[in-house]
Amino acid sequence: MESPGIEPESCSPAQEPPGSPAPPADEPEPSEAAPAPQQEAEGVPPPAPVAQGRRPGGPGSKGQAKRCGAGKGGRGKRGSTRRAGEELGRPARRAHVTVDSSKAKTSLEALKISLRQLRWKEFPFGRRLPCDIYWHGVSFHDNDIFSGQVNKFPGMTEMVRKITLSRAVRTMQDLFPEEYNFYPQSWILPEEFPLFVAEVRMMKESDPPWKPTFIVKPDGGCQGDGIYLIKDPSDIRLAGNLQSRPVVVQEYISKPLLIDKLKFDIRLYVLLKSLEPLEIYIAKDGLSRFCTEPYREPTLKNLHQVFMHLTNYSLNIHSGNFIHSDNVNTGSKRTFSSVLYRLSSKGVDIKKLWSDIISLVIKTVLALTPELKVYYQSDIPAGKPGPTCFQILGFDILLMKNLKPVLLEVNANPSMRIEHEQELSPGVFENVPSPVDEEIKVAVIRDTLRLMDPHKKKRKDNHLPDTCMVSKQRFPPVSSRLPRSNLQFSKFAIVRSQLSENSSDTKDDLLEPGSTDQLEHDISKNPEASLPSLCLKQVFPKYAKQFNYLRLVDRMAALFIRFLGVKGTMKLGPTGFRTFIRNCKLSNSNFSMASVDILYIDITRRWNSMGLDQRESGMCLQAFVEAFFCLAQRRYKSLPLHEQVASLIDFCEYHLAILDEKRLVCSRGITERRAALVTCQPDGLHLTPATHAPLLNRMTAANKLTDYRNYQS
Ligand code: ADP
């Protein structure tokens, strides 16, 4: 069941398909091309030249955005928020946001359209000076960047590989089995082959009518490459596979929801806008990819029929039954909204379905973020110059017959191609536009950029009013059926996009007298005015209250990072682990430091023998989590695992907070006033209730985590 694998959706850097378009020689409109340095700032004094596109490091160097901000305030008037032009009595021109698209690869076309719609300045060949935004086609490391924003997080490609994702979800399943039952039961082979055999045998014995099917997926594979189905662990092909590359074996969902008798999956686009604080957005529409042969439940006879069982576009496009359609409601690739419309006409509760999907997305991101933070601090250590990151992820979701969404995989580089290959005559292919892809993908890229707009962020930071502030009385809600080109729609589009971006910000905004003219002026100045409302919907922190109780691994990762010691490392050495134990007061007469060392060696050796990452020696985050589980089980024997772990985290955080407070007080020196409250003595810290209060508040806050459980759906 080998895949021809032609869809240029990259799985890992090594597998990025060749032939990604190089920046075209004939760049579009001259105005979009890179201007000479002296032209480029448009009312903004140019930043000091930086050799090789690198920004100077060192204090005070906070990247392009910062420098632009200083420019806006005028030379020597850093505190002023008025623009240079305004000071001279003429309206200031909005400085373009600059985007380096030289590494955009297969997302280039969709990116170009988005940038044209936003009227931002594209640098298709890169730029000597820093850009505001860098658009990478594959990974964070496509380019050396020291400022601005980049559309990839370090470590994301590694995190969403099939094995790493399965491990991260499994850790969450150990803690919260019911909340994480949206991911099929999985085994990582070869290391878990005996476990796989034993568990399947046990399940079959306890439930004889159960006739399972398993799907075998090579780690790091994509586009259905190397995937096959088996009915039993003893399948000969699996044994052969064990010698070559590691795989994830999953229970096959044999009763998917069908439309027109066909299996389909959903590709949803998710924007991870920020890791700390966590901000997640979901695109309101996505794609549905259909199989091209009517579905039948797996039997030994049909197991090999890829067009029946695998929904990959890259496979099904080779079926004679594949339907290219310009209509978003038909064909082998449709919009997800058209599928929802179809389901809702059959009485399906679409609201519930969306809410289940949002919940799946948030929970999956919560499983990925702890380790992403470890990568992040390693690549961009705190205090060192570096870019901030955001990333569009592709979530592949299958709906079961009972409408339960199941996570298939997360893609760090979802295909952003907006054209497809068409065979004109045998062997002769042509790239033709794909309206369905364009509609969805351009909106996702454009609105991601709108959310990341560094100028908007700066305006927010400076508490400046946004381009247009409109009262709800003057502009009552308008039907979305208005034509997009309509100027009136444009006005409302601003209002709606601002409302959807941050409804609480806009609630009390009032239109100033006589500002209708101002509004029209702003529309001509601000290209956003002609754009529809954002297609990305914030789901986190919006729904944080319902999900924060799940963030235990996140808190463990914070402890882990604290004790990593050396900047740039991702593994904890034995000394770091000992310091963690000591500082958190975890050793006692029952658990000596010698036992601590044994625990460290045992767990670290096992994880390192799995051969995941041999670059560094030491304890990786997953190994630390396992050690933490052991410590929690020892200390809080009778509780369920997640309560054991939560209690131990509270305990550690409490002791570290005391230590921090103690260090703070000691480092400041003991003033007379403090001497009355706190005494640093060799045997430890003595706190009066007054100084203890912040710690107690912290503890109370930590204990409140239990309250979140009540919000669980
Ligand atoms: P790839 O990255 O190679 O596309 P996926 O995990 O997305 O790998 O699997 C490929 C296809 O196989 C999916 O699009 C889906 O149609 C099918 N598939 C994957 N896992 C399952 C599963 N557990 N149950 C049913 N179908 C699955």
PDB file of all heavy atoms in Angstrom, residues 29 35 69 82 107 161 167 176 195 227 232 254 258 305 414 443 481 489 599 605 607 625 656 665 700:
ATOM      1  N   GLU A  29       3.751  43.067  -9.006  1.00  0.00           N
ATOM      2  CA  GLU A  29       3.789  44.528  -9.011  1.00  0.00           C
ATOM      3  C   GLU A  29       5.077  45.109  -8.433  1.00  0.00           C
ATOM      4  O   GLU A  29       5.499  44.720  -7.355  1.00  0.00           O
ATOM      5  CB  GLU A  29       2.629  45.062  -8.165  1.00  0.00           C
ATOM      6  CG  GLU A  29       1.312  44.592  -8.612  1.00  0.00           C
ATOM      7  CD  GLU A  29       0.619  43.870  -7.498  1.00  0.00           C
ATOM      8  OE1 GLU A  29       0.449  44.442  -6.424  1.00  0.00           O
ATOM      9  OE2 GLU A  29       0.220  42.727  -7.713  1.00  0.00           O
ATOM     10  N   PRO A  35      12.128  47.564  -1.896  1.00  0.00           N
ATOM     11  CA  PRO A  35      12.588  48.887  -2.266  1.00  0.00           C
ATOM     12  C   PRO A  35      14.015  49.110  -1.799  1.00  0.00           C
ATOM     13  O   PRO A  35      14.558  48.342  -1.010  1.00  0.00           O
ATOM     14  CB  PRO A  35      11.645  49.795  -1.497  1.00  0.00           C
ATOM     15  CG  PRO A  35      11.251  49.007  -0.301  1.00  0.00           C
ATOM     16  CD  PRO A  35      11.370  47.562  -0.662  1.00  0.00           C
ATOM     17  N   GLY A  69       8.806  51.373  16.199  1.00  0.00           N
ATOM     18  CA  GLY A  69       8.057  52.095  17.223  1.00  0.00           C
ATOM     19  C   GLY A  69       8.765  53.387  17.584  1.00  0.00           C
ATOM     20  O   GLY A  69       8.158  54.443  17.692  1.00  0.00           O
ATOM     21  N   ARG A  82       2.643  60.395  18.514  1.00  0.00           N
ATOM     22  CA  ARG A  82       2.239  60.991  17.242  1.00  0.00           C
ATOM     23  C   ARG A  82       3.250  60.649  16.169  1.00  0.00           C
ATOM     24  O   ARG A  82       4.436  60.498  16.393  1.00  0.00           O
ATOM     25  CB  ARG A  82       2.122  62.505  17.402  1.00  0.00           C
ATOM     26  CG  ARG A  82       0.903  62.884  18.225  1.00  0.00           C
ATOM     27  CD  ARG A  82       0.928  64.324  18.576  1.00  0.00           C
ATOM     28  NE  ARG A  82       0.862  65.166  17.408  1.00  0.00           N
ATOM     29  CZ  ARG A  82       1.146  66.460  17.450  1.00  0.00           C
ATOM     30  NH1 ARG A  82       1.521  67.020  18.569  1.00  0.00           N
ATOM     31  NH2 ARG A  82       1.055  67.196  16.376  1.00  0.00           N
ATOM     32  N   SER A 107       3.954  27.273   0.119  1.00  0.00           N
ATOM     33  CA  SER A 107       2.873  28.171   0.555  1.00  0.00           C
ATOM     34  C   SER A 107       2.997  29.541  -0.114  1.00  0.00           C
ATOM     35  O   SER A 107       2.229  30.450   0.180  1.00  0.00           O
ATOM     36  CB  SER A 107       2.868  28.310   2.084  1.00  0.00           C
ATOM     37  OG  SER A 107       4.137  28.685   2.544  1.00  0.00           O
ATOM     38  N   ARG A 161       5.515  14.438  15.001  1.00  0.00           N
ATOM     39  CA  ARG A 161       5.789  13.136  14.379  1.00  0.00           C
ATOM     40  C   ARG A 161       4.902  12.096  15.049  1.00  0.00           C
ATOM     41  O   ARG A 161       4.507  12.260  16.212  1.00  0.00           O
ATOM     42  CB  ARG A 161       7.263  12.749  14.580  1.00  0.00           C
ATOM     43  CG  ARG A 161       8.219  13.495  13.671  1.00  0.00           C
ATOM     44  CD  ARG A 161       9.631  13.158  14.070  1.00  0.00           C
ATOM     45  NE  ARG A 161       9.982  11.813  13.619  1.00  0.00           N
ATOM     46  CZ  ARG A 161      10.698  11.566  12.527  1.00  0.00           C
ATOM     47  NH1 ARG A 161      11.151  12.558  11.807  1.00  0.00           N
ATOM     48  NH2 ARG A 161      10.985  10.333  12.169  1.00  0.00           N
ATOM     49  N   ARG A 167       3.162   9.590  22.085  1.00  0.00           N
ATOM     50  CA  ARG A 167       3.697   9.595  23.461  1.00  0.00           C
ATOM     51  C   ARG A 167       3.093  10.731  24.277  1.00  0.00           C
ATOM     52  O   ARG A 167       2.709  10.536  25.428  1.00  0.00           O
ATOM     53  CB  ARG A 167       5.209   9.815  23.428  1.00  0.00           C
ATOM     54  CG  ARG A 167       6.005   8.594  23.198  1.00  0.00           C
ATOM     55  CD  ARG A 167       7.469   8.875  23.573  1.00  0.00           C
ATOM     56  NE  ARG A 167       8.390   8.112  22.761  1.00  0.00           N
ATOM     57  CZ  ARG A 167       8.551   6.798  22.854  1.00  0.00           C
ATOM     58  NH1 ARG A 167       7.844   6.116  23.726  1.00  0.00           N
ATOM     59  NH2 ARG A 167       9.411   6.172  22.084  1.00  0.00           N
ATOM     60  N   PHE A 176      -5.533  11.612  32.389  1.00  0.00           N
ATOM     61  CA  PHE A 176      -6.947  11.926  32.162  1.00  0.00           C
ATOM     62  C   PHE A 176      -7.520  11.008  31.072  1.00  0.00           C
ATOM     63  O   PHE A 176      -7.756  11.454  29.945  1.00  0.00           O
ATOM     64  CB  PHE A 176      -7.096  13.394  31.728  1.00  0.00           C
ATOM     65  CG  PHE A 176      -6.473  14.374  32.680  1.00  0.00           C
ATOM     66  CD1 PHE A 176      -5.237  14.951  32.403  1.00  0.00           C
ATOM     67  CD2 PHE A 176      -7.120  14.724  33.862  1.00  0.00           C
ATOM     68  CE1 PHE A 176      -4.660  15.853  33.275  1.00  0.00           C
ATOM     69  CE2 PHE A 176      -6.540  15.623  34.747  1.00  0.00           C
ATOM     70  CZ  PHE A 176      -5.308  16.190  34.457  1.00  0.00           C
ATOM     71  N   LEU A 195       4.054  -5.722  24.228  1.00  0.00           N
ATOM     72  CA  LEU A 195       2.882  -5.143  24.889  1.00  0.00           C
ATOM     73  C   LEU A 195       1.674  -5.179  23.944  1.00  0.00           C
ATOM     74  O   LEU A 195       0.554  -5.535  24.329  1.00  0.00           O
ATOM     75  CB  LEU A 195       3.198  -3.693  25.269  1.00  0.00           C
ATOM     76  CG  LEU A 195       2.163  -2.978  26.114  1.00  0.00           C
ATOM     77  CD1 LEU A 195       2.169  -3.515  27.537  1.00  0.00           C
ATOM     78  CD2 LEU A 195       2.439  -1.468  26.140  1.00  0.00           C
ATOM     79  N   ILE A 227       1.693   3.269   4.728  1.00  0.00           N
ATOM     80  CA  ILE A 227       0.635   2.863   5.675  1.00  0.00           C
ATOM     81  C   ILE A 227      -0.062   1.595   5.178  1.00  0.00           C
ATOM     82  O   ILE A 227      -0.310   1.447   3.982  1.00  0.00           O
ATOM     83  CB  ILE A 227      -0.386   4.013   5.840  1.00  0.00           C
ATOM     84  CG1 ILE A 227       0.277   5.186   6.560  1.00  0.00           C
ATOM     85  CG2 ILE A 227      -1.635   3.548   6.559  1.00  0.00           C
ATOM     86  CD1 ILE A 227      -0.643   6.327   6.877  1.00  0.00           C
ATOM     87  N   ASP A 232      -4.162  -8.740  12.580  1.00  0.00           N
ATOM     88  CA  ASP A 232      -3.601  -9.389  13.767  1.00  0.00           C
ATOM     89  C   ASP A 232      -2.123  -9.023  13.914  1.00  0.00           C
ATOM     90  O   ASP A 232      -1.419  -8.881  12.911  1.00  0.00           O
ATOM     91  CB  ASP A 232      -3.743 -10.915  13.599  1.00  0.00           C
ATOM     92  CG  ASP A 232      -3.468 -11.623  14.900  1.00  0.00           C
ATOM     93  OD1 ASP A 232      -4.415 -11.777  15.704  1.00  0.00           O
ATOM     94  OD2 ASP A 232      -2.279 -12.000  15.125  1.00  0.00           O
ATOM     95  N   SER A 254     -13.200   1.481  12.480  1.00  0.00           N
ATOM     96  CA  SER A 254     -13.823   0.745  11.366  1.00  0.00           C
ATOM     97  C   SER A 254     -15.238   1.221  11.049  1.00  0.00           C
ATOM     98  O   SER A 254     -15.826   0.785  10.063  1.00  0.00           O
ATOM     99  CB  SER A 254     -13.810  -0.754  11.653  1.00  0.00           C
ATOM    100  OG  SER A 254     -14.460  -0.976  12.874  1.00  0.00           O
ATOM    101  N   LEU A 258     -20.069   8.234   7.045  1.00  0.00           N
ATOM    102  CA  LEU A 258     -19.939   8.240   5.584  1.00  0.00           C
ATOM    103  C   LEU A 258     -20.838   9.312   4.987  1.00  0.00           C
ATOM    104  O   LEU A 258     -21.909   9.619   5.528  1.00  0.00           O
ATOM    105  CB  LEU A 258     -20.346   6.876   5.007  1.00  0.00           C
ATOM    106  CG  LEU A 258     -19.615   5.644   5.560  1.00  0.00           C
ATOM    107  CD1 LEU A 258     -20.133   4.376   4.870  1.00  0.00           C
ATOM    108  CD2 LEU A 258     -18.107   5.756   5.374  1.00  0.00           C
ATOM    109  N   GLN A 305      -7.220  -2.003  -0.049  1.00  0.00           N
ATOM    110  CA  GLN A 305      -7.837  -1.030  -0.965  1.00  0.00           C
ATOM    111  C   GLN A 305      -7.686   0.395  -0.427  1.00  0.00           C
ATOM    112  O   GLN A 305      -8.529   0.884   0.342  1.00  0.00           O
ATOM    113  CB  GLN A 305      -9.301  -1.386  -1.192  1.00  0.00           C
ATOM    114  CG  GLN A 305      -9.431  -2.723  -1.889  1.00  0.00           C
ATOM    115  CD  GLN A 305     -10.824  -2.955  -2.429  1.00  0.00           C
ATOM    116  OE1 GLN A 305     -11.580  -2.026  -2.649  1.00  0.00           O
ATOM    117  NE2 GLN A 305     -11.178  -4.203  -2.631  1.00  0.00           N
ATOM    118  N   PRO A 414       1.094  21.956   7.128  1.00  0.00           N
ATOM    119  CA  PRO A 414      -0.043  21.567   6.286  1.00  0.00           C
ATOM    120  C   PRO A 414       0.118  22.167   4.898  1.00  0.00           C
ATOM    121  O   PRO A 414       0.610  23.291   4.767  1.00  0.00           O
ATOM    122  CB  PRO A 414      -1.246  22.179   7.013  1.00  0.00           C
ATOM    123  CG  PRO A 414      -0.694  23.268   7.861  1.00  0.00           C
ATOM    124  CD  PRO A 414       0.700  22.852   8.219  1.00  0.00           C
ATOM    125  N   ALA A 443      -7.520  32.537   3.122  1.00  0.00           N
ATOM    126  CA  ALA A 443      -8.153  33.168   4.293  1.00  0.00           C
ATOM    127  C   ALA A 443      -7.371  32.844   5.571  1.00  0.00           C
ATOM    128  O   ALA A 443      -7.157  33.710   6.418  1.00  0.00           O
ATOM    129  CB  ALA A 443      -9.600  32.704   4.418  1.00  0.00           C
ATOM    130  N   ARG A 481     -24.928  38.744   4.021  1.00  0.00           N
ATOM    131  CA  ARG A 481     -25.172  38.497   2.597  1.00  0.00           C
ATOM    132  C   ARG A 481     -24.792  39.692   1.725  1.00  0.00           C
ATOM    133  O   ARG A 481     -24.884  39.642   0.526  1.00  0.00           O
ATOM    134  CB  ARG A 481     -26.651  38.138   2.394  1.00  0.00           C
ATOM    135  CG  ARG A 481     -26.873  36.635   2.467  1.00  0.00           C
ATOM    136  CD  ARG A 481     -28.330  36.292   2.494  1.00  0.00           C
ATOM    137  NE  ARG A 481     -28.826  36.271   3.858  1.00  0.00           N
ATOM    138  CZ  ARG A 481     -29.976  36.784   4.239  1.00  0.00           C
ATOM    139  NH1 ARG A 481     -30.753  37.388   3.383  1.00  0.00           N
ATOM    140  NH2 ARG A 481     -30.359  36.719   5.489  1.00  0.00           N
ATOM    141  N   PHE A 489     -20.169  47.220   3.185  1.00  0.00           N
ATOM    142  CA  PHE A 489     -19.710  45.980   3.792  1.00  0.00           C
ATOM    143  C   PHE A 489     -18.329  46.188   4.395  1.00  0.00           C
ATOM    144  O   PHE A 489     -18.026  45.743   5.477  1.00  0.00           O
ATOM    145  CB  PHE A 489     -19.644  44.885   2.728  1.00  0.00           C
ATOM    146  CG  PHE A 489     -19.032  43.618   3.252  1.00  0.00           C
ATOM    147  CD1 PHE A 489     -19.788  42.737   3.993  1.00  0.00           C
ATOM    148  CD2 PHE A 489     -17.690  43.336   3.052  1.00  0.00           C
ATOM    149  CE1 PHE A 489     -19.227  41.586   4.500  1.00  0.00           C
ATOM    150  CE2 PHE A 489     -17.123  42.190   3.558  1.00  0.00           C
ATOM    151  CZ  PHE A 489     -17.903  41.313   4.278  1.00  0.00           C
ATOM    152  N   LEU A 599      16.858   6.232  40.851  1.00  0.00           N
ATOM    153  CA  LEU A 599      15.663   6.558  40.059  1.00  0.00           C
ATOM    154  C   LEU A 599      16.079   7.272  38.772  1.00  0.00           C
ATOM    155  O   LEU A 599      15.615   6.939  37.675  1.00  0.00           O
ATOM    156  CB  LEU A 599      14.730   7.457  40.892  1.00  0.00           C
ATOM    157  CG  LEU A 599      13.443   7.889  40.201  1.00  0.00           C
ATOM    158  CD1 LEU A 599      12.458   6.728  40.101  1.00  0.00           C
ATOM    159  CD2 LEU A 599      12.766   9.048  40.962  1.00  0.00           C
ATOM    160  N   ARG A 605      18.233   5.929  31.591  1.00  0.00           N
ATOM    161  CA  ARG A 605      18.842   4.910  30.729  1.00  0.00           C
ATOM    162  C   ARG A 605      17.786   4.298  29.803  1.00  0.00           C
ATOM    163  O   ARG A 605      17.992   4.115  28.618  1.00  0.00           O
ATOM    164  CB  ARG A 605      19.478   3.822  31.605  1.00  0.00           C
ATOM    165  CG  ARG A 605      20.335   2.872  30.799  1.00  0.00           C
ATOM    166  CD  ARG A 605      20.988   1.840  31.653  1.00  0.00           C
ATOM    167  NE  ARG A 605      22.028   2.373  32.529  1.00  0.00           N
ATOM    168  CZ  ARG A 605      22.439   1.794  33.651  1.00  0.00           C
ATOM    169  NH1 ARG A 605      21.858   0.689  34.070  1.00  0.00           N
ATOM    170  NH2 ARG A 605      23.410   2.310  34.377  1.00  0.00           N
ATOM    171  N   TRP A 607      14.902   5.588  28.758  1.00  0.00           N
ATOM    172  CA  TRP A 607      14.463   6.520  27.712  1.00  0.00           C
ATOM    173  C   TRP A 607      15.538   6.708  26.653  1.00  0.00           C
ATOM    174  O   TRP A 607      15.227   6.777  25.460  1.00  0.00           O
ATOM    175  CB  TRP A 607      14.055   7.876  28.322  1.00  0.00           C
ATOM    176  CG  TRP A 607      12.644   7.815  28.822  1.00  0.00           C
ATOM    177  CD1 TRP A 607      12.230   7.432  30.059  1.00  0.00           C
ATOM    178  CD2 TRP A 607      11.457   8.101  28.068  1.00  0.00           C
ATOM    179  NE1 TRP A 607      10.865   7.456  30.145  1.00  0.00           N
ATOM    180  CE2 TRP A 607      10.355   7.873  28.929  1.00  0.00           C
ATOM    181  CE3 TRP A 607      11.201   8.513  26.769  1.00  0.00           C
ATOM    182  CZ2 TRP A 607       9.025   8.052  28.534  1.00  0.00           C
ATOM    183  CZ3 TRP A 607       9.878   8.701  26.369  1.00  0.00           C
ATOM    184  CH2 TRP A 607       8.806   8.473  27.235  1.00  0.00           C
ATOM    185  N   VAL A 625       8.917  13.339  33.463  1.00  0.00           N
ATOM    186  CA  VAL A 625       7.498  13.164  33.802  1.00  0.00           C
ATOM    187  C   VAL A 625       7.289  11.781  34.425  1.00  0.00           C
ATOM    188  O   VAL A 625       6.581  11.632  35.425  1.00  0.00           O
ATOM    189  CB  VAL A 625       6.620  13.361  32.529  1.00  0.00           C
ATOM    190  CG1 VAL A 625       5.190  12.895  32.768  1.00  0.00           C
ATOM    191  CG2 VAL A 625       6.638  14.825  32.097  1.00  0.00           C
ATOM    192  N   LEU A 656       9.337  25.853  46.174  1.00  0.00           N
ATOM    193  CA  LEU A 656      10.154  26.720  45.310  1.00  0.00           C
ATOM    194  C   LEU A 656       9.781  28.181  45.518  1.00  0.00           C
ATOM    195  O   LEU A 656      10.640  29.063  45.469  1.00  0.00           O
ATOM    196  CB  LEU A 656       9.985  26.313  43.841  1.00  0.00           C
ATOM    197  CG  LEU A 656      10.565  24.937  43.512  1.00  0.00           C
ATOM    198  CD1 LEU A 656      10.242  24.540  42.073  1.00  0.00           C
ATOM    199  CD2 LEU A 656      12.076  24.908  43.735  1.00  0.00           C
ATOM    200  N   VAL A 665      14.668  38.108  49.350  1.00  0.00           N
ATOM    201  CA  VAL A 665      14.880  38.872  50.579  1.00  0.00           C
ATOM    202  C   VAL A 665      16.366  38.937  50.899  1.00  0.00           C
ATOM    203  O   VAL A 665      16.904  39.995  51.198  1.00  0.00           O
ATOM    204  CB  VAL A 665      14.082  38.235  51.743  1.00  0.00           C
ATOM    205  CG1 VAL A 665      14.469  38.872  53.066  1.00  0.00           C
ATOM    206  CG2 VAL A 665      12.601  38.369  51.491  1.00  0.00           C
ATOM    207  N   THR A 700      -3.471  28.597  47.381  1.00  0.00           N
ATOM    208  CA  THR A 700      -4.921  28.571  47.213  1.00  0.00           C
ATOM    209  C   THR A 700      -5.241  28.488  45.728  1.00  0.00           C
ATOM    210  O   THR A 700      -6.103  27.737  45.300  1.00  0.00           O
ATOM    211  CB  THR A 700      -5.541  29.854  47.802  1.00  0.00           C
ATOM    212  OG1 THR A 700      -4.818  30.167  48.963  1.00  0.00           O
ATOM    213  CG2 THR A 700      -6.996  29.688  48.095  1.00  0.00           C
TER     214      THR A 700
END
